[in-house]
Amino acid sequence: MKKWYIVHVFTGQEKKVKRVLEERIALEGKKDEFGYVYIPVENVAKIKNRQKVVTEKRIYPGYVVIEMEPADENFRLIRNTAGVMDFLGSDNPQTLSDEEVQRMLNIMETKVNRISREIPFQQGDAVRIIDGPFIDFNASVEDVYPDREKAKVIVTIFGRSTPVELSFYQIKLL
């Protein structure tokens, strides 16, 4: 009977480890003893070069979740894979309960299906306006509206403070 385990890998090498593991499992003819290999990720929208870019962000950096039968040769196969540090629980790898796995998969599914926004600004940040009628003015962020991807900034024009609502794309941090 297959059980779920958490494998600790070098951070940033999760995809490589997953690919190598799947290749090794296939080469050794152990597909029946292994199930799924997951990297828990979510989609995050960032602003890069004045454009919205959607990237994958790891929910648990440095960890891969794997379903497999608890056999010594399977543990050895995983441990002897490049980029793998060890199982969670080291000498006695701890299994995840079905409830924990289901909860993790549900979280992952909801986070992948919706795009969460990375909010690049917060109240009080000093910014420079890079687009629009106030280009090259410096301002300070008064309020942030993440749902609309806008920020209310205070610009000093002719000695007077003026609130202006701008898109995240129109400003950058100083």
Side-chain angles (χ1 to χ4, degrees):
M1 185 174 157
K2 294 177 186 159
K3 297 189 182 264
W4 290 91
Y5 296 91
I6 296 179
V7 179
H8 192 195
V9 301
F10 291 114
T11 304
Q13 294 191 13
E14 296 88 351
K15 286 184 179 180
K16 177 185 170 191
V17 169
K18 178 183 185 220
R19 182 180 42 79
V20 170
L21 273 174
E22 289 171 340
E23 288 173 2
R24 289 190 69 198
I25 290 166
L27 281 173
E28 296 198 20
K30 294 189 172 254
K31 284 190 174 185
D32 294 340
E33 297 178 40
F34 285 85
Y36 296 101
V37 179
Y38 284 114
I39 301 170
V41 294
E42 67 178 316
N43 291 327
V44 177
K46 293 182 178 183
I47 297 169
K48 203 175 232 182
N49 297 332
R50 296 169 50 178
Q51 291 185 2
K52 183 176 171 180
V53 178
V54 178
T55 59
E56 272 188 358
K57 179 182 173 190
R58 288 171 208 84
I59 298 171
Y60 307 113
Y63 293 97
V64 174
V65 182
I66 187 164
E67 181 185 28
M68 64 181 217
E69 290 186 15
D72 287 340
E73 31 326 318
N74 294 344
F75 289 126
R76 212 174 354 271
L77 184 137
I78 302 293
R79 285 186 173 117
N80 293 331
T81 301
V84 171
M85 296 168 76
D86 208 346
F87 284 90
L88 197 66
S90 295
D91 295 336
N92 294 326
Q94 296 179 352
T95 62
L96 295 172
S97 70
D98 290 337
E99 295 83 34
E100 289 172 315
V101 172
Q102 195 57 49
R103 189 170 2 133
M104 186 177 4
L105 293 176
N106 287 343
I107 289 170
M108 197 170 92
E109 187 177 313
T110 58
K111 287 192 174 198
V112 166
N113 289 336
R114 75 170 169 79
I115 298 173
S116 54
R117 292 180 187 93
E118 186 175 89
I119 302 168
F121 310 104
Q122 52 185 307
Q123 192 173 10
D125 282 348
V127 294
R128 181 172 209 76
I129 300 173
I130 57 173
D131 189 30
F134 300 106
I135 193 165
D136 291 332
F137 276 80
N138 290 338
S140 67
V141 177
E142 184 175 277
D143 212 349
V144 179
Y145 310 110
D147 53 328
R148 298 184 318 193
E149 295 184 6
K150 292 188 179 252
K152 181 193 236 180
V153 298
I154 301 297
V155 183
T156 304
I157 305 170
F158 304 118
R160 297 183 69 152
S161 296
T162 306
V164 179
E165 192 172 294
L166 299 169
S167 168
F168 286 169
Y169 307 103
Q170 294 178 290
I171 55 179
K172 72 175 185 176
L173 288 171
L174 282 178

